[in-house]
Each structure stands twice: as structure tokens, then as C-alpha cells.
């Protein structure tokens, strides 16, 4: 069993719902995000615009963060989820450097002024410190809502199918762009999506084998790719106004993928 | 990004080549200092053990124990948990930080024993019957402490070269560059110690230092060439180093002060003056040490991540 997620970029409306749901679920400090939307400028309809690309910890099968952690605070469960034991983390930030997906955040001791700097913490923040404490001076990241998965499995629920056993970001996605399930099971919803829609992983060349897959095509489309009018993240990225070096890198990435 | 759009969470850095900051900015400067002192201490101790210079070995040991380790310690987010990273308290032997902590700890112990045994032997503080045994222990400790000094110096390079996320570091040449630079630093520093304590052959050290500097220059050149061929991001890092934001530190710090000045002053001492003038030696040592700081600074500063989103459409 290996839990994984498929993100359908043709469905994603860039609403930031997953970002907000994750923050609420895990009582994240205001400047910490586990789910991120990589944003870049585009020139659509003649004016600079912004589009986004949802990213989070890729729960890699061969996770560099697990290899580099000197204390064993970062470890991988049998179901593939990479977790952090904050009580063991010494805050060396080697994992932050080694993660090719830049999806780890160090909780700086002096950077958490609360939701309303200069004012007492809200009841929500206080409850969060009690229910889901984040230790300053340690590293944090997405854990696929592991507590929900464990709760669901213990109660006979199926992650990805039953809401109580499914990550918050998947539950909240209004466009149903996120699908969660067992990627080791060829008959699971995620495995079928990956196979049918030609899903891909980010930076596959690094050999980390992420558990997050992206879809940028439509069923039955030419070469299984979305038409340009779908304006998926990748289409828009091609039109991005980011600096020329990045455009060159994007091209380089494409060649490496091929 | 336009100012009016800041309400959106702008993780635009994931789509662009982004410089790493964790290990070089803010508190990350402590890692830079720790890495520099790793190389200086390692080089100083190794050269001193080979040259049989007790004071030099002591200074090398002091640099590792009282400069490198504290800088590492205060960098940690949870410093008082440092023991969790030292085998056997951790099972994560695959981590270069855990390995480095082990190498440094073992070096500190072996080198301390070696310093004591050598001191006792040099000052005839034991009975004649124990000298033979103590000499054997001293040589074993010299070998083991020297080995672990080398490992302490080289692990920093491996720690960085392991990171696939930063292509400029992800090369096997990096640890070798750091070790050779560390040995060249050691050769320079021991001359400084020798000026105070005596007991060093300046001529031999200067010749050795020249070869180390030449080797270092070739290695740095090879490293930059291979890094620029390795990937586009590696090439970008090299460009930042040579003509970008870090160029001043690289050309003045690493090349001019770290290599050219010490090399030129060494040549002048040997072939023109035919003697060692302390003032020139001190200038060369200071210049060389600045070069050691600059090299690590530059390498850390131009560590650039691959963009996360690099796949382009096939349309």
C-alpha cells in the first residue's frame, strides 16, 4: 500500500481552497503553508496575470529528506507517507536544503508573531497549540493528513473514498481536481487516473519517485494532451513572463523529461 | 510580481531558479563559519601531525572543538538536542550530518589523547619503562586522529554534494576541493604558529604551500567547468560566481587573496628575498585565510535550487 494523490490541472480553478483547508486542519502559523500554489506571471489577454500550480510534499518513495535527517526525526511509514517527529528534530535544516521540491519549512523561533501581531492570540490559535502543536526550531511539512488516514483505517473507512479518512485538501476541493488513494493498487481511483490520463510526476529525472501525480491532458485528446484553450498550468507557464533564464530552464526540463 | 497582487501567496520562487538561503543568510552564516573552521582545523591538525608540530596540532584541535562545534551548535533550531544526531544515539548513519558529528566527536577524543601523549613524551614526564608503550599509543592516536581529522574536513563537502536539489553542489569534486583548500590553509596557518613557537621549516612549508595552491587552483577550475557542463542550473551558479552577484567575493576573496597573493609572496620569499620576512609571511597567512572564508561563502551563496515546476507542454 502506498498513498498517493493525483492533481488534475485541467480541473483546478486556482481557488486556494486546498491551502486554506490545510491551514485550518493543522492550525498552521500564518506564514507557514504545507500546500502551496507556485505562482507565476502570465500575459493573458494582453495584461500581466498570475496563475498557480498546486504543490506540496511529494511523499517521495526514495525521499532525500529521510536520507539526510541525522536523528531519524524524518521517517517513512510502510504506506509511503513521510512524517516528521518534531520531538526528535534538532532543526539542522539539512532536509530543507535537500528537498528538490522545496516543500519543507523551518519554524523560526522569532518569526511567529501570531495571527494578529501585538495582540493576544486568538482562541483558534490557542486551541491549535493544544490540539496540533508546532514546535519552534523544527521543520514542518505536509503529511497527507496522516491522523485522518489512521483514524479512518482504524474505523473501517477507506482513505480517498470516505471523507473522514481523506486529506482535508482533497475534501475541500470544489472542482474535484484532487484525488487520493492507493497508487500500489492498480484498481484504485488514483491508479486508473494515472494510467488513463497520462499523469506525470514533478522532476522525475531525480529518481525520487513522488507519490503526487499531475494530469495535464484530457481523455481522448490528441496525444493525450489538453488543448491550449484549456489553459492548464503548464500551458500558461509556457506563456509566462518570468525571466529568460527560467524559460530556458523550462525548456531544459522538458528535454530531460523526454 | 506586481505590487497590487501580493494578496496571493506568491511561491513564484518554485518556478524560477532560486538561491538557497538556509545555509548562508541570517542564522545560516553560522553554518558558513562552522564549515570554514572545519577546513582550517582539519588542515592545521593534519599538517601539524605530519610535521610533528605539537603547538600546531593543539591549535587545530582548538579550532575544531572551540570554533567549529559551537558554531554548528548555535545554528541548530533545537541546540540542546544535538546529542540525538551523534551515533549511537541515532541510527541514521546514512546522514552526512550524523556521520560528521561522529567523525568530529571521535577526532576530538583521539586528538586530545594524542596531544597529551606527545606532550608527556616530549617533556619526559613518564618513567623510562613506560616510554615504549606510550610511544606506540602516541603513534596509533596520531594515525587515528589524523584519519578522523580528514573525515571531519571532508564530510562538509559530502554533506553538500549529496543534495540533488542544488546541482552546483551535486558533484564529487566538491569534497576534494574543500579538503585540498583545507590542507593549503593548514600549511599557511602552521607557518603563523611557527612564527610564535618556532620549530617549523619555513622553506619546506612554502614549497608545499605553493604546490597546494597550484593544485587548488586547478581543482577549482575543474570544479567550475564540470558544474557548468552538468546542468543549466549548475551553469547559472557558475555564472553568478564569475560575473554575477558573488563575483566580487570570488575574484577578490578566493582568487586574488586566497591564491594569487599567497603564491606571489611565497615566490618572492624564496626566489627574490631568499629568506622569510615575518611581515610578508603574516600578510600571506591573513590573505590565505580570507581566501578560505571566501571560498566557502561563494560556494554556499551560489547554491541554486532547480525550479520545482519545469515541465513544459508538448503542444
Amino acid at each position: 500500500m502506498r498513498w498517493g494523490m493525483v492533481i488534475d490541472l485541467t480541473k483546478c480553478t486556482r481557488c486556494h481552497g486546498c491551502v486554506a483547508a490545510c491551514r485550518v486542519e493543522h492550525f498552521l502559523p500564518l506564514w507557514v503553508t504545507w500546500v502551496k500554489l507556485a505562482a507565476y506571471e502570465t500575459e493573458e489577454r494582453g495584461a500581466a496575470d498570475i496563475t498557480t500550480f498546486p504543490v506540496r510534499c511529494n511523499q517521495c518513495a526514495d525521499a532525500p529528506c529521510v536520507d539526510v535527517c541525522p536523528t531519524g526525526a524524518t521517517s517513512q511509514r510502510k504506506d509511503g507517507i513521510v512524517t516528521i517527529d518534531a520531538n526528535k528534530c534538532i532543526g539542522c535544516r539539512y532536509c530543507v536544503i535537500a528537498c528538490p521540491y522545496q516543500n519543507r519549512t523551518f519554524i523560526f523561533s522569532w518569526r511567529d508573531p501570531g495571527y494578529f501581531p501585538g495582540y493576544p492570540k486568538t482562541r483558534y490559535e490557542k486551541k491549535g497549540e493544544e490540539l496540533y502543536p508546532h514546535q519552534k526550531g523544527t521543520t514542518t511539512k505536509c503529511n497527507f493528513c496522516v491522523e485522518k488516514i489512521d483514524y479512518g483505517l482504524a474505523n473501517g473507512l477507506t482513505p480517498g473514498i470516505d471523507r473522514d479518512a481523506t486529506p482535508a485538501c482533497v475534501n475541500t476541493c470544489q472542482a474535484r481536481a484532487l484525488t487520493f488513494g492507493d497508487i500500489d493498487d492498480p484498481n484504485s481511483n488514483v491508479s486508473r487516473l494515472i494510467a488513463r490520463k497520462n499523469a506525470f510526476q514533478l522532476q522525475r529525472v531525480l529518481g525520487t519517485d513522488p507519490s503526487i501525480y499531475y494530469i495535464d491532458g484530457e481523455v481522448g485528446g490528441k496525444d493525450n494532451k489538453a488543448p491550449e484553450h484549456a489553459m492548464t498550468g503548464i500551458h500558461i507557464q509556457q506563456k509566462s513572463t518570468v525571466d529568460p533564464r527560467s524559460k530556458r530552464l523550462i525548456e531544459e526540463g522538458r528535454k530531460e523529461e523526454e | 510580481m506586481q505590487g497590487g497582487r501580493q494578496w496571493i501567496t506568491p511561491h513564484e520562487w518554485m518556478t524560477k531558479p532560486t538561491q538557497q538561503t538556509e545555509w548562508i543568510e541570517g542564522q545560516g552564516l553560522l553554518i558558513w563559519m562552522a564549515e570554514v573552521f572545519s577546513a582550517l582545523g582539519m588542515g592545521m591538525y593534519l599538517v601539524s601531525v605530519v610535521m610533528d608540530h605539537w603547538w600546531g596540532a593543539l591549535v587545530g584541535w582548538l579550532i575544531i572543538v572551540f570554533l567549529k562545534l559551537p558554531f554548528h551548535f548555535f545554528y541548530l533550531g533545537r541546540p540542546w538536542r544535538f546529542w540525538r544526531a551523534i551515533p549511537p544515539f541515532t541510527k541514521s548513519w546514512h546522514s552526512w550530518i550524523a556521520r560528521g558529528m561522529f567523525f568530529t566527536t571521535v577526532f576530538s577524543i583521539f586528538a586530545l589523547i594524542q596531544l597529551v601523549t606527545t606532550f608527556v613524551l616530549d617533556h619526559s614526564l613518564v618513567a623510562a619503562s613506560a616510554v615504549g608503550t606510550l610511544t606506540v599509543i602516541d603513534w596509533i592516536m596520531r594515525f587515528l586522529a589524523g584519519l578522523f581529522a580528514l573525515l571531519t574536513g571532508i564530510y562538509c563537502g559530502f554533506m553538500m554534494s549529496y543534495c540533488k536539489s542544488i546541482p552546483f553542489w551535486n558533484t564529487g569534486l566538491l569534497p576534494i576541493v574543500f579538503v585540498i583548500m583545507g590542507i593549503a590553509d593548514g600549511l599557511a596557518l602552521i607557518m603563523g604558529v611557527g612564527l610564535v613557537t618556532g620549530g617549523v621549516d619555513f622553506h619546506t612549508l612554502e614549497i608545499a604551500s605553493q604546490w597546494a595552491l597550484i593544485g587548488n587552483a586547478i581543482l577549482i577550475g575543474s570544479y567550475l567547468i564540470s558544474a557548468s557542463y552538468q546542468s543549466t542550473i549548475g551553469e547559472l551558479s557558475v555564472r553568478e560566481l564569475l560575473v554575477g552577484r558573488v563575483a566580487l567575493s570570488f575574484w577578490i576573496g578566493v582568487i586574488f587573496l586566497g591564491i594569487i597573493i599567497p603564491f606571489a609572496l611565497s615566490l618572492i620569499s624564496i626566489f627574490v628575498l631568499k629568506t622569510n620576512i615575518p611581515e610578508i609571511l603574516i600578510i600571506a597567512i591573513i590573505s590565505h585565510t580570507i581566501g578560505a572564508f571566501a571560498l566557502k561563502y561563494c560556494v554556499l551563496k551560489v547554491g541554486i535550487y532547480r525550479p520545482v515546476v519545469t515541465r513544459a507542454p508538448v503542444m
Side-chain angles (χ1 to χ4, degrees), chain A residues 1-6 79 81 144 149 158-161 165-167 170 178-194 211-213:
Chain A
M1 179 186 288
R2 183 179 160 205
W3 299 116
M5 189 181 289
V6 176
D79 58 9
I81 298 176
F144 267 176
I149 293 174
T158 307
I161 305 293
T166 302
V170 179
L178 307 182
T179 310
F180 188 78
D182 180 6
I183 53 176
D184 273 354
D185 175 5
N187 296 316
S188 69
N189 46 2
V190 281
S191 295
R192 286 202 301 268
L193 272 175
I194 291 166
S211 299
I212 305 243
Y213 285 78

Side-chain angles (χ1 to χ4, degrees), chain A residues 2-188:
Chain A
R2 183 179 160 205
W3 299 116
M5 189 181 289
V6 176
I7 300 173
D8 192 336
L9 296 170
T10 65
K11 290 183 178 175
C12 176
T13 59
R14 282 76 180 170
C15 71
H16 286 65
C18 50
V19 179
C22 178
R23 178 178 304 289
V24 172
E25 181 74 19
H26 303 287
F27 299 92
L28 296 178
L30 203 56
W31 57 276
V32 175
T33 47
W34 284 1
V35 177
K36 302 175 181 72
L37 296 180
Y40 37 88
E41 286 182 79
T42 62
E43 278 182 358
E44 283 309 298
R45 292 177 290 280
D49 202 353
I50 288 174
T51 193
T52 55
F53 201 101
V55 289
R56 68 209 72 203
C57 171
N58 278 262
Q59 315 289 350
C60 306
D62 187 7
C65 55
V66 174
D67 289 339
V68 302
C69 180
T71 64
T74 298
S75 58
Q76 191 160 36
R77 304 186 347 155
K78 286 180 180 172
D79 58 9
I81 298 176
V82 177
T83 58
I84 300 172
D85 182 349
N87 292 320
K88 283 186 181 177
C89 179
I90 59 172
C92 67
R93 283 159 266 183
Y94 196 9
C95 54
V96 178
I97 295 282
C99 174
Y101 304 98
Q102 302 172 52
N103 262 304
R104 284 181 161 249
T105 309
F106 180 71
I107 304 179
F108 280 91
S109 304
W110 58 87
R111 262 206 206 166
D112 186 14
Y115 279 14
F116 299 96
Y119 291 89
K121 290 198 171 175
T122 59
R123 273 187 288 176
Y124 170 78
E125 288 172 282
K126 287 177 187 168
K127 200 66 184 170
E129 286 170 0
E130 180 189 324
L131 294 175
Y132 214 103
H134 296 279
Q135 285 192 29
K136 291 169 185 172
T138 63
T139 307
T140 187
K141 70 164 192 73
C142 162
N143 60 10
F144 267 176
C145 292
V146 72
E147 60 284 338
K148 294 189 77 176
I149 293 174
D150 288 345
Y151 166 82
L153 290 174
N155 289 280
L157 304 175
T158 307
I161 305 293
D162 299 302
R163 286 180 65 84
D164 285 347
T166 302
C169 56
V170 179
N171 283 342
T172 206
C173 183
Q174 60 177 356
R176 297 288 178 265
L178 307 182
T179 310
F180 188 78
D182 180 6
I183 53 176
D184 273 354
D185 175 5
N187 296 316
S188 69

Side-chain angles (χ1 to χ4, degrees), chain B residues 98-128:
Chain B
R99 290 173 186 172
M101 295 283 260
F102 177 74
F103 296 153
T104 311
T105 309
V106 174
F107 162 76
S108 305
I109 295 165
F110 284 162
L112 180 62
I113 297 170
Q114 181 268 318
L115 286 166
V116 171
T117 53
T118 306
F119 185 84
V120 167
L121 286 168
D122 286 353
H123 294 80
S124 306
L125 297 177
V126 285

Side-chain angles (χ1 to χ4, degrees), chain A residues 39-40 48 67-68 70 72 86 89-90 93-94 97 135-136 203 206 225 235 237 245 248-250 252, chain B residues 5 12 15 17 22 27 75 78 81 90 94-95 159 162 164-165 232-233 235-236 307 309-311:
Chain A
Y40 37 88
D67 289 339
V68 302
C89 179
I90 59 172
R93 283 159 266 183
Y94 196 9
I97 295 282
Q135 285 192 29
K136 291 169 185 172
Q203 303 221 36
L206 295 179
K225 299 291 173 193
H235 286 128
Q237 187 181 354
R245 283 188 311 205
R248 192 172 142 211
L249 291 165
I250 290 163
E252 182 80 10
Chain B
R5 297 180 187 278
E12 194 176 38
T15 63
E22 294 289 346
Q27 204 185 7
Y75 169 74
R78 291 272 169 170
R81 294 181 187 167
T90 177
H94 43 72
S95 165
M159 183 175 79
Y162 182 84
K164 289 178 185 173
S165 50
T232 318
I233 304 293
E235 187 188 338
L236 183 60
V309 183
T310 56
R311 189 184 153 108

Side-chain angles (χ1 to χ4, degrees), chain B residues 50-63:
Chain B
V50 172
M51 305 287 290
D52 198 17
H53 195 272
W54 189 84
W55 285 103
L58 177 68
V59 173
W61 183 80
L62 290 172
I63 288 173

Side-chain angles (χ1 to χ4, degrees), chain B residues 121-257:
Chain B
L121 286 168
D122 286 353
H123 294 80
S124 306
L125 297 177
V126 285
S129 57
V131 168
T133 311
L134 204 58
T135 305
V136 173
I137 293 172
D138 184 58
W139 277 102
I140 292 171
M141 286 301 125
R142 271 170 198 252
F143 173 76
L144 289 175
L147 176 67
F148 278 94
L150 183 67
L151 293 171
T152 299
I154 206 167
Y155 95 85
C156 295
F158 280 114
M159 183 175 79
M160 291 165 69
S161 70
Y162 182 84
C163 298
K164 289 178 185 173
S165 50
I166 298 177
F168 183 63
W169 297 352
N170 190 217
T171 159
L173 272 177
L174 188 62
I176 302 169
V177 170
F178 283 177
V179 164
I180 299 296
M181 190 69 173
I183 289 170
D185 299 336
L187 288 165
L189 285 179
I190 199 172
M191 285 192 269
V193 175
L195 280 176
V196 180
T197 64
V200 295
D201 179 356
F202 287 104
H203 183 76
T204 309
L205 282 172
E206 289 211 338
I207 299 285
S209 184
Q210 282 175 3
W211 283 108
L213 286 170
I214 291 170
N216 210 26
I218 293 170
L219 265 174
I220 290 174
S222 308
Y223 170 53
L224 296 184
I225 290 168
S226 71
S228 63
Y229 287 158
Q230 196 179 21
S231 68
T232 318
I233 304 293
E235 187 188 338
L236 183 60
S237 291
V238 173
R239 219 185 311 147
E240 288 291 322
L241 199 64
L242 300 181
V243 293
R245 290 168 300 130
V246 193
L248 203 65
S249 306
F250 179 73
W251 290 111
I252 293 179
V254 180
I255 302 299
F256 187 68
L257 291 174

